[in-house]
Amino acid sequence: MAMHHGGCHCGAVRWQADTGVDKGLVCNCSICTKRGSILHFVPDTSFTLESGADRLTEYRFNKHAIAHLFCDTCGILSFARGTAPDGTKMVALNLRCVDGIDLKAIEVTEYDGASV
Ligand SMILES: [Zn+2]
């Protein structure tokens, strides 16, 4: 575990998360395919939104279970919010938006979200 910082492209949305970022998930659902995110899930308690709460636009589709939150200025989705099956509030980080990360060093697992 370590503190990682990240955010959108223009800098309006900034956050920090206490987690390891060596593993990520690439999903084949309709939105992940278009967006190209590499997801990494952390409990809400390990995540702090530092700025940009008023700049986030929320997008929900399908079962409306996940709040996809993107910056209203630059359009980048750096994280999303959802709830785990056990009721824990979770944040899905987009690892592509973590400062100084070496994406080639991430162990990527493919997730068949299109079939869920
Ligand atoms: Zn932005």
Side-chain angles (χ1 to χ4, degrees):
M1 299 289 220
M3 196 59 78
H4 293 278
H5 298 264
C8 69
H9 188 264
C10 73
V13 177
R14 293 293 300 167
W15 44 257
Q16 60 180 31
D18 187 13
T19 182
V21 290
D22 54 331
K23 289 188 172 68
L25 200 71
V26 169
C27 173
N28 66 355
C29 83
S30 58
I31 197 165
C32 288
T33 296
K34 289 184 185 251
R35 190 193 293 143
S37 306
I38 301 174
L39 301 174
H40 179 81
F41 295 87
V42 300
D44 176 67
T45 49
S46 300
F47 177 86
T48 304
L49 182 61
E50 297 171 303
S51 68
D54 58 339
R55 305 288 293 279
L56 292 165
T57 298
E58 180 179 301
Y59 175 61
R60 292 178 185 253
F61 70 104
N62 194 13
K63 294 171 186 167
H64 290 234
I66 300 169
H68 300 270
L69 297 159
F70 60 90
C71 173
D72 66 5
T73 298
C74 68
I76 296 300
L77 182 140
S78 58
F79 73 100
R81 292 188 186 275
T83 305
D86 68 359
T88 307
K89 289 195 183 311
M90 300 294 290
V91 174
L93 308 176
N94 180 359
L95 291 187
R96 292 189 182 276
C97 297
V98 174
D99 297 350
I101 196 168
D102 180 5
L103 292 170
K104 294 187 293 297
I106 295 169
E107 185 185 325
V108 171
T109 303
E110 293 188 10
Y111 177 71
D112 187 16
S115 303
V116 175

